[in-house]
Amino acid sequence: MPLIETEGVEVINEEQRNRGFWKIFAIWAGFAIVITNFLLGSLTIGAGLVEGFTAAVISIVLVGVIVYFGTKIAAEQGTAGTTAMRAPFGIRGRVIPALATVLATVGWFGVQTGIVASSSKAILSNFGITVPFWLLAGALGIVMATVAVFGYEWIEWLNRLAVPIMTILLGLVVYQIFTNYSTSLGSSGGTGMSFWAALNVFPAATAAYLIVAMDYGRYGQSQDSSRPGWGATLAWIIFAIILAAIGILAAAAAGTWNPVEITVELGLGSVGLLLLIMGSWTTNVTNVYVGGIALSQLTGLQRLYMTVLTGLVGTGLAVAGIFSYGGIQSFLSALTVTLVPTTGILLVHYYLIEGGMDINALFEVDGKYWYVRGWNPVAVMAWAIGAAFAVLAPDWTVPALSSALVAGVIYYALDSPVGTWIERYQTQPRSSD
């Protein structure tokens, strides 16, 4: 692989698909040890200490199932997530999942960079150092995005270096919490969030994970695709649960969900600052990397340039102050509506309808994935119904998961009758699209 990765929407050849269990495990471990999972865990404290943790564990395991299948499909086919979406949505219809992916990755980049910049500002002020928020957010954003610009191998090296360090730092944070705040943990009760709402927190935030899993999994071992699949899944489940638990305990000890206030309240100091920066860095490179591929899917321009653009936009959002409780809640709702239904549609298409994927047809105008002028009306209808369900469904349905199921079922049900009409349409003489 060259110094700067050139692959974007293209299919990865079989020789390059050689990452096994441990290499994929390491990259997902770095992705999972992140301030976002700490934040999501702290949000579930509203349902109570035990209830929030139970909801977090259940939802993390369910998300792990999606990570497994996304990694496995990509290792088998060598396709990025938004490239694979051409199969169910159509070559032009790919804009729906691609736009949603750009929204998710750029938004989370801004949120995480904002959290780190705010926490860094607060911690540095305790040492008598005053740095403007905009300067910290801008500098951190640019540094975090740089590795993603170079590509996959650089992200692998970053995670290999950072994961052992972050594991030690996490141990120090847990020691600090139990040493100084153990007496306040047992009295932590809920603040009005239902168990079902808490169950929805992690799936809503991880709406892009099928696509993320595929973007990383496309370099996975093609001969035994279950090995990289299990590597990604176990790393996600283990470290996401650990981070969620620490977030819940820290929120209970500090009396607030806000990671900035938690960091200051618990006096984590330089240890907390280093963990915040490294944890966000290993995850934000993924946001920029995946967002760059999705933007390349939309524009047809090279991944390199689109990755740079994604990093700049995400940094701009951080500087503008995207991080807030209200902003996060609205953002999670937007992710659920736009992106979650596409997961169910792709999985149903791959496993139940086509039983695989025609790699060559992913790039053929007037091929099998051209459908109707480049759009598959079945997938668009199923996505719209799934998105409407995500908006209207009550919390107990856990719409961040069930909207994918609804969209998948609708897609499967409509495929045969509408698909017959599409086949007739494709065989009719018509002017060029």
Side-chain angles (χ1 to χ4, degrees), residues 340-341 344-345 348 381-390 393 397-399 401-413:
V340 171
I345 291 169
V348 166
M381 284 188 286
W383 171 78
I385 293 170
F389 178 85
T397 65
V398 193
L401 289 172
S402 58
S403 60
L405 179 63
V406 168
V409 169
I410 297 296
Y411 182 68
Y412 185 79

Side-chain angles (χ1 to χ4, degrees), residues 72-373:
K72 189 174 187 296
I73 291 171
E76 291 170 355
Q77 304 295 336
T79 56
T82 45
T83 301
M85 287 290 180
R86 295 176 180 220
F89 280 90
I91 291 177
R92 287 178 175 169
R94 73 186 187 276
V95 300
I96 292 175
L99 274 173
T101 302
V102 172
L103 168 70
T105 53
V106 171
W108 273 122
F109 184 93
V111 168
Q112 290 176 181
T113 304
I115 293 173
V116 177
S118 296
S119 301
S120 300
K121 185 177 186 299
I123 292 171
L124 289 172
S125 66
N126 288 339
F127 294 110
I129 303 171
T130 302
V131 183
F133 169 81
W134 65 267
L135 181 59
L136 284 170
L140 288 167
I142 291 171
V143 169
M144 290 179 185
T146 300
V147 172
V149 171
F150 284 92
Y152 195 95
E153 284 193 349
W154 288 68
I155 296 173
E156 282 185 316
W157 276 108
L158 174 64
N159 283 283
R160 288 176 194 168
L161 293 172
V163 167
I165 298 172
M166 290 190 295
T167 303
I168 294 171
L169 293 174
L170 283 174
L172 293 174
V173 170
V174 172
Y175 176 79
Q176 173 83 341
I177 292 172
F178 277 99
T179 300
N180 298 320
Y181 298 92
S182 58
T183 57
S184 63
L185 297 178
S187 60
S188 302
T191 58
M193 176 182 281
S194 70
F195 172 80
W196 301 109
L199 197 61
N200 204 61
V201 169
F202 270 90
T206 57
Y209 271 28
L210 180 72
I211 289 173
V212 172
M214 294 191 72
D215 285 359
Y216 279 154
R218 64 192 177 134
Y219 286 99
Q221 239 173 27
S222 58
Q223 296 87 350
D224 185 1
S225 57
S226 63
R227 288 181 60 80
W230 280 115
T233 302
L234 292 177
W236 158 252
I237 291 174
I238 291 169
F239 289 103
I241 289 176
I242 291 173
L243 264 292
I246 294 173
I248 292 170
L249 291 173
T256 176
W257 66 271
N258 190 318
V260 178
E261 296 174 9
I262 289 172
T263 305
V264 175
E265 178 68 26
L266 299 186
L268 298 178
S270 56
V271 171
L273 179 59
L274 186 58
L275 180 60
L276 282 169
I277 292 174
M278 296 193 71
S280 294
W281 195 357
T282 54
T283 302
N284 261 349
V285 292
T286 296
N287 286 321
V288 176
Y289 181 73
V290 173
I293 293 174
L295 202 54
S296 178
Q297 194 77 247
L298 289 171
T299 63
L301 300 175
Q302 289 187 21
R303 181 205 69 84
L304 170 64
Y305 304 122
M306 294 302 93
T307 303
V308 172
L309 180 58
T310 303
L312 291 175
V313 173
T315 300
L317 289 175
V319 173
I322 189 176
F323 168 59
S324 69
Y325 182 76
I328 291 171
Q329 295 287 58
S330 301
F331 183 56
L332 295 183
S333 298
L335 291 184
T336 303
V337 170
T338 58
L339 197 50
V340 171
T342 68
T343 294
I345 291 169
L346 179 61
L347 291 177
V348 166
H349 183 95
Y350 189 84
Y351 285 106
L352 299 182
I353 292 178
E354 192 171 0
M357 192 177 297
D358 186 337
I359 297 301
N360 293 326
L362 292 171
F363 305 95
E364 290 178 353
V365 174
D366 285 335
K368 67 185 295 186
Y369 299 140
W370 188 245
Y371 299 107
V372 180
R373 297 181 180 271

